[in-house]
Amino acid sequence: MHNEPIWNDGTIPSFPALNDEIAVDVCVIGLGGSGLSCIYELLTLGARVAGIDASTIGGGAAGRNGGFLLAGLAAFYHDAVAKLGRERAAAIYRLTISEIERMAALMPTIVRQVGSLRIAVSPEELADCTAQMAAMRADDLPVEAYRGPEGEGLLIPTDGAFQPLHRCIWLARQAERGGVLLFTHTPALDISGTTVHCPQGTIHARQVIVAVDGGLERLLPELRDTVRTTRLQMLATAPDPHCTIPRPVYTRWGYDYWQQLPDGRIALGGCRDRFAESEWDAPPQPSPAVQAALEQILRERIGSQAAIERRWAAQVAYRRDSILPIARQVRPGVWAIGAYNGTGNVIGALCGRAVAYAAIRGQTQLLDLLGRDG
């Protein structure tokens, strides 16, 4: 198992490791989708920024996920309403729709606004789809009942698919052109005040933004009672001319998911819940048990006999106590965003932009909406 995502086509840019002592306005830890979105916004605010990552651009879950762009939180909309209230749930959902549209406008060659399907696998799940549709229609959110080759459930027309690693690369290139200092293979060993210590260098900053998902609680121990890291796994096939999957599919309560890329390859992930205890705190390497379960879905549910070309894994973080992500100041001058509960592509970008305004302008309203408990 080579543990290489389908998204990596060899175009990841190279940046040096930090080997110096530098001073900036903001240090962003984590060069995935949320961290790079934060940096992109910080540039518009005129901040001097350094960004570091323990591996490469998009080397974590940001470049190793399923490539879905889903509006809302990880919780289905009616569940979000029950936990957060209708006004707040609707506000967050509408913001994520706008964020998908913003991504598509910025990166039209990377984003495909094709909608997504939630497909039920049982009568109980189909009833839950009906409840979700009722709640969404009550708040005038786009949704349609669906019955087709994939099964029965819901069509969410505002969702989409994208190439997640290429998005990270695009954002990194914009940051580089804007004068941001980017360093890869540079883990943050310690944050003392607002000084970040790395193996061969130090960054003195006025503000530090920790924008990592998997492993967030390891870098910020005060979050250990709130956040826990788990492993997500995927596989991808060779192009399959016998399958036609027009849009991303989210099924079995969201535990299984797949899409077909424009070149015909199928990317499939999920099954974490079937092996949940062994996936918590597991290293980002594919496991035989989960991969076998994914292959069974590929052959029996999707009906593809295409050769499997890639298998990979990534770490993400889940909240223990909330459907909301972590999005707040955790120490004076130190901010944290992450723990997106498995669907961070859109909400993570929003959190990245929100924390930039909170750190530089003191404007916390959007960050509070996305991450404030209670």
Side-chain angles (χ1 to χ4, degrees), residues 22-249:
I22 62 175
V24 292
D25 295 325
V26 184
C27 174
V28 176
I29 301 173
L31 298 178
S34 57
L36 288 164
S37 294
C38 177
I39 289 171
Y40 189 85
E41 205 68 29
L42 288 167
L43 279 177
T44 69
L45 298 172
R48 294 177 300 119
V49 185
I52 63 172
D53 197 283
S55 59
T56 62
I57 299 297
R64 304 175 71 85
N65 61 67
F68 284 32
L69 291 173
L70 304 177
L73 297 162
F76 295 121
Y77 183 72
H78 57 307
D79 296 324
V81 168
K83 291 182 179 296
L84 302 177
R86 173 155 275 115
E87 183 177 352
R88 188 177 186 187
I92 292 173
Y93 199 97
R94 292 191 178 98
L95 281 171
T96 55
I97 291 176
S98 297
E99 190 65 21
I100 293 171
E101 292 172 348
R102 181 176 181 272
M103 289 181 184
L106 281 174
M107 296 164 278
T109 63
I110 294 171
V111 175
R112 295 182 293 127
Q113 290 184 283
V114 292
S116 76
L117 296 176
R118 180 190 173 191
I119 298 298
V121 298
S122 67
E124 293 79 12
E125 188 172 8
L126 186 58
D128 197 70
C129 288
T130 301
Q132 178 182 341
M133 183 168 65
M136 293 181 69
R137 286 184 168 174
D139 289 333
D140 199 27
L141 298 172
V143 62
E144 301 171 20
Y146 179 84
R147 179 178 292 174
E150 301 86 352
E152 191 172 357
L154 301 177
L155 167 63
I156 312 296
T158 52
D159 287 347
F162 76 141
Q163 217 285 19
L165 186 54
H166 280 190
R167 174 176 175 265
C168 291
I169 293 169
W170 187 91
L171 288 168
R173 289 303 190 197
Q174 301 304 309
E176 183 182 35
R177 294 188 187 101
V180 174
L181 303 174
L182 297 177
F183 302 97
T184 56
H185 303 289
T186 301
L189 301 179
D190 177 67
I191 305 170
S192 301
T194 55
T195 296
V196 180
H197 299 282
C198 305
Q200 303 296 327
T202 303
I203 303 173
H204 302 282
R206 296 179 179 177
Q207 305 279 342
V208 175
I209 297 172
V210 180
V212 301
D213 193 12
L216 180 63
E217 74 277 25
R218 292 193 289 270
L219 190 54
L220 295 170
E222 57 264 56
L223 296 178
R224 283 178 181 161
D225 292 336
T226 306
V227 170
R228 191 176 183 187
T229 292
T230 192
R231 176 172 61 190
L232 301 183
Q233 299 191 42
M234 296 196 69
L235 60 75
T237 73
D240 188 342
H242 304 293
C243 277
T244 301
I245 307 171
R247 56 184 65 83
V249 176

Side-chain angles (χ1 to χ4, degrees), residues 261-338:
L261 278 60
D263 64 6
R265 293 179 295 171
I266 297 169
L268 162 67
C271 296
R272 182 189 71 85
D273 63 307
R274 299 181 182 179
F275 309 91
E277 288 308 310
S278 61
E279 298 303 290
W280 291 116
D281 304 309
Q285 301 287 335
S287 71
V290 172
Q291 289 293 317
L294 290 173
E295 190 165 348
Q296 184 177 15
I297 293 173
L298 176 70
R299 305 306 185 201
E300 298 179 6
R301 175 74 190 279
I302 299 175
S304 173
Q305 300 304 314
I308 297 172
E309 293 188 338
R310 301 200 188 190
R311 304 179 189 268
W312 70 96
Q315 290 183 326
V316 301
Y318 280 71
R319 288 286 301 270
R320 297 176 185 265
D321 58 347
S322 177
I323 65 170
L324 294 168
I326 294 291
R328 61 176 182 255
Q329 187 170 204
V330 294
R331 306 174 193 168
V334 179
W335 307 76
I337 53 173

